[in-house]
């Protein structure tokens, strides 16, 4: 029995006429010039994302360590290649990924600079997510509106009772411009945005208008793609904004929060009506 087994094994391992073991036939070979199937290509596909991810992290850390501000120049590709010990292609792929996040800005012919790190990628992602809901974008929009509502209800409590007469007068002036635009039959989405930006300006928090503006932009983009009208009931929109100002001028924290909640309930209802074709 042992002799037969040795004979079988030696037959399987014996070289073919071209000197290769018989087990290394076409079944195990990849495309011509690539070597055995799933060997080098698989290793490359796993390593490349890891290298790119590591380079992205190191470039971001470089920006933080050097305290570089938006618009500051970054090291050249050659300098990054040398300091990181990677190829030019790896550096370029990492910089492109960072550019998509607005962390770096690539100016062709001039170099690479620190980006604004804006919320544009968030806006693009949320817009796509909402439009990709396959007929249920109102549900996705409701989620975005709920987040903004929670933010604004909390923020309006902070500013209630702290706004100066001048700040309240500016808010009232925006509401009056809304009313004038509504009577003239003109849409006023930008005035709506201006109202909310002015409302929280006293907080001195630069992220607040950026974050609220991001949600506002997503809503406007989706409305534009779906062909929804700007505002089928401008008088109601004006009244809801005026209610917010009235409560703020009275120093009524609970009333301001309720008026803000009513404002967002109206937006949600309008979005649902528009999606059903009801104006």
């Amino acid at each position: 029995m042992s002799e037969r087994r040795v004979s079988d094994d030696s037959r399987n391992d014996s070289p073919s006429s071209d000197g290769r073991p018989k087990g290394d036939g076409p079944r195990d070979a990849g495309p011509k010039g690539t070597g055995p199937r799933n060997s080098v290509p698989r290793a490359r596909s796993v390593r490349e994302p890891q290298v790119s991810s590591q380079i992205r992290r190191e470039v971001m850390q470089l920006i933080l360590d050097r305290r570089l501000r938006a618009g500051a120049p970054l090291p050249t590709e050659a300098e990054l290649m040398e300091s990181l010990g990677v190829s030019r292609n790896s550096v370029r792929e990492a910089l492109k990924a960072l550019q998509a996040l607005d962390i770096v800005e690539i100016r062709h012919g001039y170099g690479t600079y620190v980006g604004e790190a804006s919320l544009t990628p968030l806006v693009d992602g949320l817009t796509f997510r909402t439009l990709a809901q396959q007929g249920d974008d109102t549900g996705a929009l409701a989620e975005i509106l709920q987040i903004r509502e929670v933010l604004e209800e909390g923020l309006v409590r902070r500013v209630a009772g702290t706004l100066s007469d001048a700040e309240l007068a500016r808010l009232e002036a925006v509401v009056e411009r809304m009313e004038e635009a509504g009577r003239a039959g003109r849409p006023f989405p930008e005035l709506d945005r201006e109202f909310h930006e002015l409302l929280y300006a006293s907080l001195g928090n630069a992220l607040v208008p950026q974050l609220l503006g991001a949600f506002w932009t997503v809503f406007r983009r989706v409305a534009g793609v779906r062909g929804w009208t700007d505002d089928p009931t401008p008088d109601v929109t004006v009244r809801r904004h005026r209610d917010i100002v009235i409560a703020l001028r009275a120093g009524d924290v609970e009333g301001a929060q309720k008026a803000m909640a009513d404002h967002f309930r109206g937006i949600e209802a309008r979005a649902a009506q528009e999606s059903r074709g009801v104006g």
Side-chain angles (χ1 to χ4, degrees):
M1 291 291 291
S2 61
E3 291 181 359
R4 183 173 181 179
R5 185 161 56 250
V6 169
S7 176
D8 289 341
D9 292 341
S10 63
R11 184 168 60 250
N12 289 337
D13 293 337
S14 61
S16 61
S17 59
D18 61 1
R20 295 179 302 171
K22 288 183 178 180
D24 290 341
R27 180 172 56 87
D28 298 316
K32 185 177 180 180
T34 64
R37 181 180 299 168
N38 295 332
S39 57
V40 175
R42 175 173 293 177
R44 184 182 300 118
S45 65
V46 171
R47 178 171 171 73
E48 285 180 349
Q50 293 175 343
V51 171
S52 180
S53 177
Q54 179 63 26
I55 296 171
R56 292 198 300 271
R57 288 195 297 270
E58 294 194 23
V59 172
M60 288 189 290
Q61 192 61 50
L62 179 150
I63 294 172
L64 296 175
D65 290 343
R66 298 187 183 182
R67 300 179 181 274
L68 300 178
R69 295 184 178 274
L74 287 172
T76 64
E77 287 184 357
E79 289 170 339
L80 289 173
M81 289 166 55
E82 182 177 356
S83 63
L84 301 179
V86 294
S87 68
R88 184 180 297 275
N89 184 63
S90 296
V91 169
R92 287 181 174 177
E93 289 301 315
L95 291 178
K96 287 179 181 178
L98 291 174
Q99 183 180 38
L101 297 173
D102 201 21
I103 293 175
V104 307
E105 178 188 358
I106 300 173
R107 304 177 190 173
H108 296 288
Y110 295 93
T112 305
Y113 299 79
V114 179
E116 296 288 342
S118 68
L119 298 184
T120 299
L122 172 66
V123 171
D124 292 341
L126 286 176
T127 301
F128 177 81
R129 178 184 183 276
T130 304
L131 292 173
Q133 293 300 306
Q134 302 297 328
D136 189 28
D137 43 33
T138 53
L141 267 181
E143 294 174 353
I144 293 172
L145 288 171
Q146 286 168 7
I147 294 172
R148 183 178 163 187
E149 179 183 347
V150 169
L151 287 173
E152 294 218 39
E153 284 188 30
L155 291 170
V156 79
R157 291 186 68 90
R158 288 206 168 196
V159 298
T162 67
L163 295 176
S164 66
D165 288 338
E167 289 168 332
L168 289 167
R170 283 194 288 271
L171 289 171
E172 288 170 338
V174 174
V175 174
E176 289 173 4
R177 287 158 58 198
M178 286 182 179
E179 190 171 27
E180 292 173 3
R183 284 199 299 262
R186 298 192 309 270
F188 47 84
E190 292 297 338
L191 290 175
D192 192 338
R193 181 170 185 167
E194 182 181 349
F195 177 91
H196 290 269
E197 288 181 353
L198 280 174
L199 181 56
Y200 309 115
S202 63
L203 295 174
N205 187 328
L207 184 58
V208 168
Q210 292 180 33
L211 192 57
L212 297 182
F215 292 134
W216 185 91
T217 300
V218 172
F219 187 91
R220 301 307 310 170
R221 284 186 181 180
V222 173
V225 171
R226 293 297 182 240
W228 297 347
T229 56
D230 285 284
D231 195 340
T233 53
D235 56 326
V236 174
T237 301
V238 170
R239 176 172 53 79
R240 284 176 175 147
H241 283 85
R242 179 171 284 116
D243 288 344
I244 294 172
V245 178
I246 291 172
L248 290 171
R249 187 169 281 284
D252 184 355
V253 177
E254 299 300 329
Q257 186 175 22
K258 181 181 182 303
M260 185 65 71
D262 291 343
H263 171 46
F264 278 99
R265 297 291 186 275
I267 298 175
E268 292 175 9
R270 175 160 58 90
Q273 288 177 346
E274 290 280 354
S275 69
R276 295 193 300 267
V278 179

